[in-house]
Amino acid sequence: MSKGLFSNQHDGLSRRDLLLVAGTAAATLATSSHLARAAPQDALVIDGVKQGEDVFAYVNRVKGGFDQTTYRQVLGCANAFKEGDQAIGVGAGDESSRSHARALLANTKIGDLYRHPLLEDDLQRLIWQTTDEAQHEKVKDWTMGQLKEFLLSGSEDEIKGVMNGLTSDTIGCVPKLMSNDELIAVSQKIFNVMPGTKLGAKGYMGARIQPNSPTDHPDDIMWQVFDAFSYATGDIVIGTNPVDSTVASVVTVERALKDVVDTFKLGDVIPWCVLAHIDVQAEVDEGYPGTVATVFQSLAGTDDCNKIFDITNEKILKYAHAKAGQRYGLYFETGQGSEFTNGVANGVDMMVLESRKYGFSRAVGMELAKVQPEGAWLHVNDVAGFIGPEVFKSREQLVRCCLEDMVMGKLHGLTIGLDICTTLHMTVSLDDLDWCQDQIMPANPAYLIALPTKNDPMLSYLTTAFQDHVRVRDKFGFKVNDAMWDFYKRIGIVANDDTYTSNYGDPLWVYYQYRLAKGDKRAREAVYAEGRQMMAQVEARGVDLVTGHGENIWDLNPALATKVKGLYDDAKQSLWAELTPEFIAAVPNVVSVRTLSKDRNDYIAHPTTGEALSPDSVHEIERLRASWKDDMPKGQIVISDGLNAKAIMDDGHLAPYLEEMRRLLGDAGVTVSEKDILVTGGRVRAGYRIGEMLFANADPNSFRGILHIIGERPGTMHHAYSVYITVAKGKRWAEKDIDHDMTKLVSNVADTALAPKEAAKETLTIIREIIGKDVNGSRRYG
């Protein structure tokens, strides 16, 4: 089974792939011709505005006519500060410029924004097609300032009477004019309820259980679901992020989730989902009918980024159409910054691009409504903070981003939840996340993510724990969807008076109920003994299961709280760890090079510095290339520290992979450079650049490849690394435009996760598949 790779048949990024790529590849590289279109511009300074002047009048005044770049910059300047907007080149030069940009925007008419999209592509045309013309006529002559005041003063019914007449650009611009309190006020009055439920209703706040496993082990996944149920948490979807996105592995996980739902007779209450690429899920559904419930896909806000995700408007709309008559429709994940970090923001600010994703979702919802008149479930999970500090860094920015996205999603008519999350290389702590939750909860998101602890055991990021849900429900008076709450009463977690029973926080009790529902006649003691053994095995694989509580009912038990803090502390140490001279010297036949990153701080704060080699290092690569003379090998191994040098240096990690990989390639008749290139301060794109230098003069029709071993984000017990596999013909290397869309991935490699020797076997399998299908193959639905 391939662990954590870009499926050969389906090259779009999964959520885990996006996280790994973003964490080690990050922002765009101006020196790359493929990415130059996204190079940052100088921050815009707006010295002053005239009375009543709007965006278009200002652009005409300073440019002598309409200028699209300046137009985008002015609208971007109106945003609250985020690092990603600055990198795109649409951030304000100073606070005065931000204030002036907001004044210009407030004076701008909705109809003028409609006629001047920030980016015209197929997605924009879909948004126009699905914007209600009659409603647009009502508001086209309003200024954005008037729209803001209407949203603050109007009733929910009044707002819903015009919001479908707003394009995504308009919806993406109005939060720029609002304070956090104003965003909360708007969010508090708009609720888009899932058909036949209370999900998304006022006063309800649910949970997506996220039972992730570092090895996709069914027991890891099932026991996390039992754990969630023991805290009366989970009601909108049980959704697992797979490490392995192959059909066979996805089927296994789907069946495990389906078994829990079917055993507890929850088929009409909560769906399950494996968050592989949508094409993989479709293949699973065709080959194993009834295995798939809700269908998932990550969405982007530009055609170019959706291409990287291997989706098109047409493809997603066809999948919606295929849901005819089904209760469970589609589930999307979005998040500010994905276009920027993939180099395809096309000069548009992150907030408007996020809004365009909601416009895409609204269009899909309309398609679902055509084929399921009774209403099919469609919901969106905004993953704020998922990429890292290149998008934004602070807890205040995380709160702001969530509040903006809530308003934009609700104004698109969506049932929208949040992943209030942070990466471990951001300056947001475990305690900070509690503060963020409290700032955001008054906006009443439809749901939040739910894990046993704040620390995801597979994705290596921090989000919302089961007991955070208990705390938030207590503090803000939120309810769980009624049908699911009834289930929690049925299995004895919640009493008839809506208080928690003595079984609260006891996954063994839930497992016992599960076995009873299966018809198991054994004594309770026997089932509990079996359950304890299974729990121990799950925890030995690095998946924490929470039981009981601390001083408050919403506190982790003290022992587990100490462990989670230890993993957090280890992650911070790992982020700052450096490859030691002794380790570098011990790598066989090593060519040691550096990127432009001056040190770890520079590497983390300025991701692009890790994507290009220093001048001296370029000369080292050129010397290696010259040493080959006319005997160019088929492949080159590159090793980078990434975000966790310990993953590379730990005993039993790198050496077994290198030894097995070289043996397998040798047996397969594939020549590999005798030298290993070791990169200090390296990100994924540094490997692409090395390949372009080495293979630019290769036979245009002959395959050449880079195996780039790089430390993954820390935060789990595994200290895992990934292998990025980039194989292309000489012609592509010579064009110097290699990027993530050409790359496959084996991830979560560690002595405690995917064993290095097994990872080597998977690497060879992927290489064979790539060559067998000439790198790029056919796609379902285009």
Side-chain angles (χ1 to χ4, degrees):
M1 297 289 180
S2 303
K3 301 292 181 183
L5 50 92
F6 291 146
S7 168
N8 186 52
Q9 288 75 27
H10 317 288
D11 292 339
L13 297 178
S14 73
R15 185 181 179 194
R16 175 172 171 78
D17 299 333
L18 175 61
L19 177 64
L20 290 170
V21 169
T24 48
T28 59
L29 182 62
T31 55
S32 167
S33 59
H34 177 65
L35 299 168
R37 65 180 182 271
Q41 310 292 323
D42 292 335
L44 182 65
V45 175
I46 303 175
D47 292 328
V49 299
K50 295 183 177 181
Q51 184 69 31
E53 192 171 34
D54 68 2
V55 170
F56 299 99
Y58 172 80
V59 172
N60 277 306
R61 175 165 64 84
V62 300
K63 289 294 182 179
F66 181 73
D67 179 77
Q68 184 76 1
T69 298
T70 307
Y71 174 53
R72 290 170 173 169
Q73 287 180 311
V74 173
L75 291 183
C77 277
N79 281 350
F81 172 77
K82 297 189 188 85
E83 281 76 7
D85 284 337
Q86 298 297 110
I88 293 168
V90 295
D94 51 43
E95 286 303 314
S96 177
S97 296
R98 197 180 322 280
S99 177
H100 289 150
R102 288 171 175 167
L104 293 170
L105 177 58
N107 290 331
T108 301
K109 289 186 176 181
I110 291 172
D112 290 336
L113 289 175
Y114 182 99
R115 289 186 291 273
H116 295 84
L118 277 83
L119 174 67
E120 184 168 350
D121 57 5
D122 285 345
L123 178 54
Q124 177 60 46
R125 286 183 280 276
L126 176 64
I127 290 167
W128 272 328
Q129 292 165 12
T130 51
T131 300
D132 189 289
E133 293 183 10
Q135 290 191 15
H136 179 70
E137 284 295 314
K138 298 178 184 178
V139 299
K140 67 179 182 180
D141 292 325
W142 292 7
T143 66
M144 291 296 291
Q146 289 174 314
L147 175 60
K148 169 191 169 180
E149 293 307 316
F150 170 76
L151 294 175
L152 290 169
S153 62
S155 68
E156 181 178 24
D157 287 344
E158 290 171 328
I159 293 170
K160 288 188 172 181
V162 301
M163 69 186 194
N164 287 337
L166 305 175
T167 64
S168 298
D169 279 10
T170 300
I171 292 174
C173 282
V174 72
K176 301 171 190 278
L177 303 177
M178 294 181 177
S179 67
N180 284 11
D181 287 343
E182 288 170 333
L183 290 169
I184 290 170
V186 173
S187 193
Q188 283 177 339
K189 66 170 70 176
I190 305 172
F191 295 93
N192 304 302
V193 184
M194 295 263 273
T197 76
K198 291 291 188 177
L199 295 163
K202 184 178 180 65
Y204 284 77
M205 201 285 295
R208 170 204 151 185
I209 303 171
Q210 184 168 290
N212 292 341
S213 165
T215 56
D216 286 343
H217 198 295
D219 286 352
D220 296 355
I221 292 162
M222 293 176 70
W223 273 93
Q224 287 179 82
V225 178
F226 299 152
D227 207 2
F229 288 173
S230 77
Y231 289 93
T233 296
D235 57 357
I236 193 165
V237 66
I238 306 170
T240 299
N241 297 92
V243 178
D244 181 349
S245 289
T246 59
V247 168
S249 182
V250 170
V251 168
T252 299
V253 179
E254 295 268 15
R255 284 173 169 166
L257 297 175
K258 173 179 166 57
D259 175 66
V260 174
V261 172
D262 287 351
T263 299
F264 282 126
K265 295 181 171 54
L266 295 172
D268 291 330
V269 177
I270 186 170
W272 66 91
C273 184
V274 178
L275 282 69
H277 189 273
I278 195 168
D279 290 345
V280 177
Q281 295 168 82
E283 191 169 340
V284 170
D285 194 37
E286 287 182 3
Y288 306 87
T291 307
V292 176
T294 286
V295 176
F296 163 84
Q297 181 56 44
S298 293
L299 298 183
T302 69
D303 287 355
D304 290 335
C305 196
N306 280 320
K307 180 181 178 182
I308 293 173
F309 291 177
D310 191 21
I311 61 171
T312 62
N313 301 346
E314 180 185 17
K315 175 185 284 190
I316 298 301
L317 290 171
K318 284 185 176 179
Y319 279 127
H321 189 78
K323 280 287 185 176
Q326 298 183 37
R327 176 178 177 81
Y328 301 127
L330 284 86
Y331 164 33
F332 296 133
E333 283 192 349
T334 69
Q336 291 192 35
S338 56
E339 300 81 13
F340 146 62
T341 201
N342 280 289
V344 283
N346 297 325
V348 181
D349 69 87
M350 297 190 299
M351 197 158 76
V352 168
L353 291 179
E354 181 70 7
S355 185
R356 284 163 55 95
K357 298 166 198 173
Y358 303 147
F360 196 169
S361 303
R362 179 169 68 181
V364 173
M366 294 170 69
E367 186 67 23
L368 280 174
K370 295 176 186 176
V371 299
Q372 175 54 290
E374 295 181 4
W377 288 27
L378 171 73
H379 59 100
V380 176
N381 180 28
D382 169 43
V383 186
F386 189 63
I387 295 176
E390 60 269 31
V391 175
F392 58 80
K393 294 180 179 179
S394 71
R395 68 178 194 171
E396 290 79 12
Q397 289 173 310
L398 174 57
V399 168
R400 175 73 191 185
C401 183
C402 288
L403 295 177
E404 291 167 347
D405 295 351
M406 285 289 296
V407 167
M408 293 189 296
K410 288 189 173 190
L411 285 174
H412 278 93
L414 301 173
T415 304
I416 182 166
L418 296 173
D419 193 344
I420 305 174
C421 62
T422 179
T423 66
L424 285 148
H425 57 314
M426 290 170 66
T427 58
V428 181
S429 70
L430 292 163
D431 291 337
D432 286 337
L433 281 180
D434 289 347
W435 179 86
C436 291
Q437 292 165 10
D438 288 351
Q439 303 306 304
I440 294 165
M441 283 306 101
N444 204 162
Y447 63 98
L448 301 178
I449 294 297
L451 305 176
T453 75
K454 283 183 169 69
N455 187 45
D456 189 293
M458 187 269 279
L459 287 174
S460 302
Y461 81 125
L462 303 178
T463 184
T464 316
F466 298 154
Q467 287 175 300
D468 292 326
H469 282 261
V470 178
R471 183 185 72 85
V472 164
R473 294 196 300 250
D474 179 81
K475 182 168 184 176
F476 294 93
F478 289 135
K479 298 179 181 179
V480 171
N481 187 37
D482 292 350
M484 200 68 189
W485 194 249
D486 288 343
F487 164 70
Y488 293 134
K489 290 182 176 179
R490 173 159 58 91
I491 63 170
I493 299 299
V494 177
N496 288 332
D497 63 357
D498 293 323
T499 60
Y500 297 112
T501 71
S502 59
N503 301 313
Y504 168 87
D506 184 2
L508 278 170
W509 171 260
V510 179
Y511 178 64
Y512 177 55
Q513 298 303 307
Y514 166 81
R515 293 307 312 169
L516 289 177
K518 287 277 193 184
D520 195 330
K521 303 298 184 183
R522 288 178 295 168
R524 175 174 165 176
E525 292 75 14
V527 175
Y528 266 49
E530 177 183 76
R532 289 189 188 97
Q533 182 178 15
M534 294 176 75
M535 288 178 68
Q537 293 169 346
V538 168
E539 291 174 326
R541 287 189 289 267
V543 177
D544 291 319
L545 295 174
V546 58
T547 57
H549 58 84
E551 182 178 351
N552 299 305
I553 198 170
W554 48 79
D555 292 337
L556 285 177
N557 69 65
L560 186 53
T562 299
K563 179 183 178 181
V564 171
K565 178 64 165 53
L567 289 172
Y568 177 86
D569 291 341
D570 177 70
K572 292 300 184 181
Q573 294 171 12
S574 297
L575 283 168
W576 297 99
E578 298 184 2
L579 298 173
T580 65
E582 295 77 14
F583 174 80
I584 294 172
V587 177
N589 299 315
V590 69
V591 175
S592 182
V593 299
R594 296 191 63 92
T595 64
L596 295 175
S597 295
K598 299 174 184 177
D599 51 32
R600 292 300 291 174
N601 184 65
D602 192 30
Y603 176 85
I604 292 170
H606 305 106
T608 55
T609 64
E611 298 181 338
L613 296 184
S614 69
D616 288 346
S617 296
V618 170
H619 294 320
E620 286 292 325
I621 300 301
E622 290 173 343
R623 279 193 285 271
L624 173 63
R625 168 66 188 89
S627 73
W628 294 341
K629 298 180 181 179
D630 295 326
D631 190 21
M632 180 182 292
K634 294 290 186 181
Q636 174 66 56
I637 293 174
V638 178
I639 306 158
S640 289
D641 45 10
L643 286 171
N644 188 0
K646 290 185 177 183
I648 303 300
M649 296 189 294
D650 280 359
D651 291 341
H653 277 203
L654 180 62
Y657 178 84
L658 291 178
E659 291 167 2
E660 183 70 1
M661 194 74 254
R662 287 187 174 278
R663 185 188 70 80
L664 291 172
L665 290 172
D667 291 347
V670 179
T671 57
V672 183
S673 171
E674 294 180 357
K675 299 286 189 179
D676 292 326
I677 298 173
L678 187 63
V679 186
T680 296
R683 292 182 182 266
V684 176
R685 285 192 175 107
Y688 303 155
R689 307 291 82 83
I690 289 171
E692 290 165 356
M693 285 186 273
L694 292 176
F695 301 135
N697 296 323
D699 178 344
N701 296 311
S702 177
F703 285 108
R704 293 293 187 277
I706 293 287
L707 299 183
H708 192 175
I709 303 163
I710 187 165
E712 290 181 6
R713 294 183 179 194
T716 70
M717 61 174 269
H718 301 291
H719 286 182
Y721 61 82
S722 297
V723 183
Y724 289 78
I725 306 161
T726 310
V727 178
K729 290 185 177 180
K731 180 177 183 296
R732 285 301 305 272
W733 290 110
E735 291 170 350
K736 298 186 184 300
D737 67 347
I738 299 293
D739 207 56
H740 305 322
D741 59 340
M742 293 290 298
T743 296
K744 316 291 189 222
L745 176 67
V746 175
S747 66
N748 211 43
V749 185
D751 56 352
T752 54
L754 175 61
K757 288 189 176 183
E758 290 300 313
K761 294 176 184 177
E762 297 307 329
T763 303
L764 182 62
T765 298
I766 294 168
I767 293 170
R768 284 174 167 156
E769 290 174 346
I770 293 171
I771 293 173
K773 68 183 297 227
D774 200 18
V775 180
N776 291 315
S778 61
R779 302 284 186 272
R780 291 176 62 96
Y781 298 147

